[in-house]
Amino acid sequence: MRIIAIISVLLLLLSACSNEADYSPKPRGYFRIYYPEKVYRQYNESCPYSFQYPVYADISADPKAVNKSCWINMNFKQFNGILHLSYQPVTSKKIFNELVEDAHTFAFKHTVKATSIDEGYINYPDRKVYGLYYTIDGNAASSIQFFLTDSTKHYLRGALYFSSEPRLDSIQPVLDFVKKDVDVMIKSFKWK
């Protein structure tokens, strides 16, 4: 009787170990993202600049910039992102050089987490818009930073941040989408 019980248990175990259903864990999933249609409107307030920005973004004064007019935030609420724009008048060559150096320093503070930082020149001489565009790859807090200037009177710095853990693999689709909006903003930018 004991032998029959042992054989029955072995047969039961062998029949349960079938190779037909290999189990593999499912990859980590992310929320489905719905992208709005790309439609732009003009920003033309009392600041010394104007540009086009997407209709799904809201512009508000930067609450942390007390006594700094024309420091604004372009809020991408749907994507939990903010493009910070800070304006400074250029009053001397020394101030201009300090502002440009600050932009470089702020961009390269992300070197610790970045896998690469690329610089691109912005040059629209017909509108007197010049500057540098920093693309920061990797798990850095800010993936896009730039500054725009006319080299004599005006300076505007921009930095894009998402209010989530900086994991490039999860924010890359949204970053690519918003980056096109930043590109439109820069290409349409004009000094008043």
Side-chain angles (χ1 to χ4, degrees), residues 41-45 47 49 51-62 71-77 83 85 185:
R41 61 182 160 195
Q42 190 73 18
Y43 177 81
N44 199 11
E45 300 299 319
C47 296
Y49 53 81
F51 56 84
Q52 291 183 351
Y53 70 101
V55 296
Y56 45 84
D58 297 323
I59 293 185
S60 61
D62 189 339
W71 282 44
I72 60 174
N73 291 332
M74 188 182 305
N75 301 296
F76 296 91
K77 291 179 184 174
L83 177 64
L85 297 171
M185 184 221 141

Side-chain angles (χ1 to χ4, degrees), residues 103-104 107-108 110-111 114-122 131-138 140 142-147 168 179:
H104 181 79
F108 279 85
H110 297 282
T111 303
T115 54
S116 71
I117 300 176
D118 296 324
E119 291 180 346
Y121 291 102
I122 299 167
L132 277 176
Y133 188 96
Y134 297 96
T135 304
I136 304 167
D137 292 326
S142 176
S143 298
I144 297 171
Q145 296 199 15
F146 62 90
F147 74 86
L168 187 61
K179 186 177 180 187

Side-chain angles (χ1 to χ4, degrees), residues 61 63 66 81 97 172:
V66 181
N97 290 338
Q172 188 66 54

Side-chain angles (χ1 to χ4, degrees), residues 13 20 24-25 45 85 117 126 134 138 154 165 182:
L13 288 173
E20 293 176 23
S24 61
E45 300 299 319
L85 297 171
I117 300 176
D126 56 320
Y134 297 96
H154 306 290
E165 182 181 342
V182 174

Side-chain angles (χ1 to χ4, degrees), residues 33 45 78 94 104 108 113 126 139 150 160 172 177 191-192:
I33 301 168
E45 300 299 319
Q78 180 179 357
K94 180 183 176 208
H104 181 79
F108 279 85
K113 294 280 187 172
D126 56 320
N139 292 329
D150 66 352
L160 176 67
Q172 188 66 54
F177 185 81
W191 300 110
K192 293 182 183 176

